[in-house]
C-alpha cells in the first residue's frame, strides 16, 4: 500500500516529467522545428525553381488538408480541392519568404506554428504584402506536411 511519502514523491516525479515535456515541446530550437524548417526550405526551393504545382503541393501539404483564410467563402477539404487556388499563390511565390515565429508547439506526430509570410512586390510599382499563417503539421512517412492552415493579411 502506498504511503503518503511515496505518493508525494510519485506526484512530484510526474509533475517534473510533464513540465519537462512541455518545456521540450516549446523549445524554439527543437528537433521538430529544425525538421519543419528544412521542409519549408525545400518547398521554397521548389517554388523558386518553378517546379510543377503538383510537386510543390505534395512536398508541402498532406492529402487530407483543411484550409481557409481571409476572404475565403468556405473550407477546402483536401489537397486536391486546393490545387486551383494554390496555382495563383505559387505563381508569385518566388518573391515570398516564410519565417517560423517561435515557438513550435508539438506532441507526437503533430505540431503547430505561426508563420510570417513576406512577399516583395513584383516590381517597383507593386506593394509588398504580409500574411500571418497558423499551420498544423502532421508527420507521416514523407516527413512533416501541413494538414491544416488558416491565413490572414498582416504581419506578426
Amino acid at each position: 500500500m502506498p504511503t503518503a511519502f511515496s505518493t508525494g514523491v510519485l506526484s512530484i516525479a510526474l509533475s517534473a516529467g510533464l513540465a519537462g515535456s512541455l518545456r521540450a515541446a516549446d523549445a524554439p530550437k527543437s528537433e521538430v522545428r529544425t525538421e519543419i524548417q528544412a521542409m519549408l526550405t525545400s518547398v521554397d526551393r521548389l517554388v523558386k525553381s518553378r517546379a510543377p504545382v503538383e510537386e510543390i503541393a505534395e512536398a508541402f501539404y498532406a492529402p487530407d488538408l483543411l484550409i481557409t483564410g481571409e476572404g475565403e467563402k468556405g473550407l477546402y477539404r483536401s489537397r486536391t480541392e486546393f490545387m486551383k487556388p494554390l496555382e495563383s499563390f505559387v505563381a508569385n511565390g518566388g518573391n515570398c519568404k516564410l519565417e517560423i515565429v517561435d515557438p513550435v508547439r508539438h506532441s507526437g506526430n503533430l505540431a503547430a506554428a505561426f508563420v510570417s509570410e513576406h512577399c516583395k512586390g513584383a516590381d517597383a510599382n507593386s506593394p509588398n504584402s504580409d500574411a500571418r499563417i497558423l499551420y498544423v503539421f502532421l508527420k507521416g512517412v514523407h516527413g512533416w506536411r501541413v494538414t491544416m492552415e488558416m491565413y490572414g493579411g498582416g504581419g506578426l
Side-chain angles (χ1 to χ4, degrees):
M1 182 162 179
T3 66
F5 176 76
S6 65
T7 303
V9 170
L10 180 61
S11 294
I12 291 168
L14 288 173
S15 295
L18 289 175
S21 296
L22 291 174
R23 280 193 300 276
D26 290 340
K29 301 296 181 191
S30 72
E31 181 179 326
V32 171
R33 185 194 191 286
T34 301
E35 291 171 357
I36 290 171
Q37 183 60 59
M39 183 271 290
L40 293 174
T41 300
S42 175
V43 169
D44 185 55
R45 274 190 239 118
L46 289 172
V47 171
K48 285 182 172 48
S49 71
R50 303 212 178 269
V53 175
E54 295 79 13
E55 184 179 349
I56 294 167
E58 287 180 20
F60 194 59
Y61 290 118
D64 63 348
L65 173 70
L66 295 172
I67 184 170
T68 192
E70 187 174 335
E72 297 292 345
K73 294 182 180 174
L75 181 67
Y76 295 98
R77 296 186 177 273
S78 71
R79 181 173 66 204
T80 303
E81 193 175 309
F82 189 62
M83 290 303 291
K84 190 72 174 163
L86 183 61
E87 288 176 14
S88 62
F89 290 125
V90 169
N92 295 324
N95 295 329
C96 299
K97 179 174 175 45
L98 294 175
E99 185 175 330
I100 295 173
V101 178
D102 286 327
V104 172
R105 302 280 173 97
H106 63 89
S107 179
N109 66 344
L110 288 173
F114 286 103
V115 173
S116 177
E117 179 185 54
H118 177 73
C119 298
K120 293 181 181 177
D123 56 47
N125 297 323
S126 300
N128 294 341
S129 65
D130 293 297
R132 53 183 164 234
I133 307 164
L134 175 60
Y135 286 128
V136 176
F137 301 93
L138 175 67
K139 188 171 188 179
V141 295
H142 300 294
W144 292 100
R145 298 293 185 267
V146 173
T147 189
M148 297 177 81
E149 176 179 337
M150 175 97 180
Y151 60 87
L156 286 171

